[in-house]
Amino acid sequence: VNMAPGYNCYCASNATSSADEDIVRFTVGTLNNISACNAIAPGPNSVASLYSNFQTLPATVLNLSQSYTASAFVQGCSGSGYSTSAKVCIDFNQDGDFTDAGENVVTAGPLTSGVGSGVQISGGFNITCTVPTGITGMRVVAVETFDPTTINPCGTYTWGETEDYLLPGRTTSAGDADPVVTKRGEIWPD
């Protein structure tokens, strides 16, 4: 029996209106993904200005016991700029959801973007020894809201955008050499 990996089974998350804000850049670790307003991401089920599946990009390496800053650059692409907040969630235990303790790694905002101008919404997190090895999902959700605690990693919201990425999870144990990560997050030791 062939089973789909957990990162292919996440709940849906998307805006219902293509007006207003898009995530035009997302950075964490070595990842620096830039996309234009109203662009369609390369992954399946992507819809311009609503949901972007970037799981087809090479997985981003995040090393054990290090601190990282995740930054979503949000820009008003149409309509007007409004207060926007963001969450970044990582399925650390690879159980197919983003709702377990510690999986919401960044909750930030609100900041106000304008049409043609953007804001950077950022926050920091650490990779710990409790993270299992293997590929897992990371979700970025930017929503037009004053209260970032109301953002859910699943479901719909009116204005904003959701982006999905892959991470190789914890690839080494403490003291091991750094891993070599190839396209799609396949892990090979040095």
Side-chain angles (χ1 to χ4, degrees):
V1 172
N2 289 330
M3 295 180 64
Y7 57 81
N8 283 336
C9 301
Y10 292 123
C11 57
S13 174
N14 60 272
T16 57
S17 171
S18 61
D20 300 341
E21 295 87 7
D22 281 7
I23 300 169
V24 294
R25 181 177 177 198
F26 179 71
T27 62
V28 64
T30 59
L31 175 67
N32 181 15
N33 186 47
I34 298 171
S35 57
C37 284
N38 305 310
I40 298 176
N45 303 314
S46 294
V47 179
S49 301
L50 305 178
Y51 170 74
S52 293
N53 182 349
F54 289 109
Q55 290 183 339
T56 56
L57 297 178
T60 298
V61 176
L62 298 181
N63 293 313
L64 183 65
S65 301
Q66 290 195 10
S67 297
Y68 291 93
T69 298
S71 296
F73 298 81
V74 180
Q75 178 176 318
C77 295
S78 65
S80 298
Y82 297 97
S83 291
T84 302
S85 299
K87 276 193 178 181
V88 177
C89 300
I90 299 173
D91 183 14
F92 282 125
N93 64 359
Q94 302 170 6
D95 67 346
D97 65 45
F98 299 106
T99 58
D100 299 301
E103 291 186 339
N104 174 26
V105 296
V106 174
T107 300
L111 294 172
T112 302
S113 66
V115 175
S117 66
V119 294
Q120 176 180 332
I121 303 171
S122 299
F125 63 96
N126 298 315
I127 302 296
T128 68
C129 292
T130 59
V131 176
T133 60
I135 300 169
T136 196
M138 174 174 60
R139 176 164 285 172
V140 183
V141 184
V143 177
E144 192 174 293
T145 181
F146 287 103
D147 185 0
T149 64
T150 63
I151 299 173
N152 292 310
C154 299
T156 60
Y157 48 89
T158 307
W159 300 285
E161 185 180 19
T162 297
E163 293 187 350
D164 280 338
Y165 296 89
L166 292 180
L167 295 175
R170 181 179 64 84
T171 56
T172 62
S173 36
D176 286 350
D178 289 335
V180 174
V181 177
T182 61
K183 188 172 173 138
R184 296 283 301 154
E186 296 169 39
I187 302 160
W188 300 95
D190 263 353

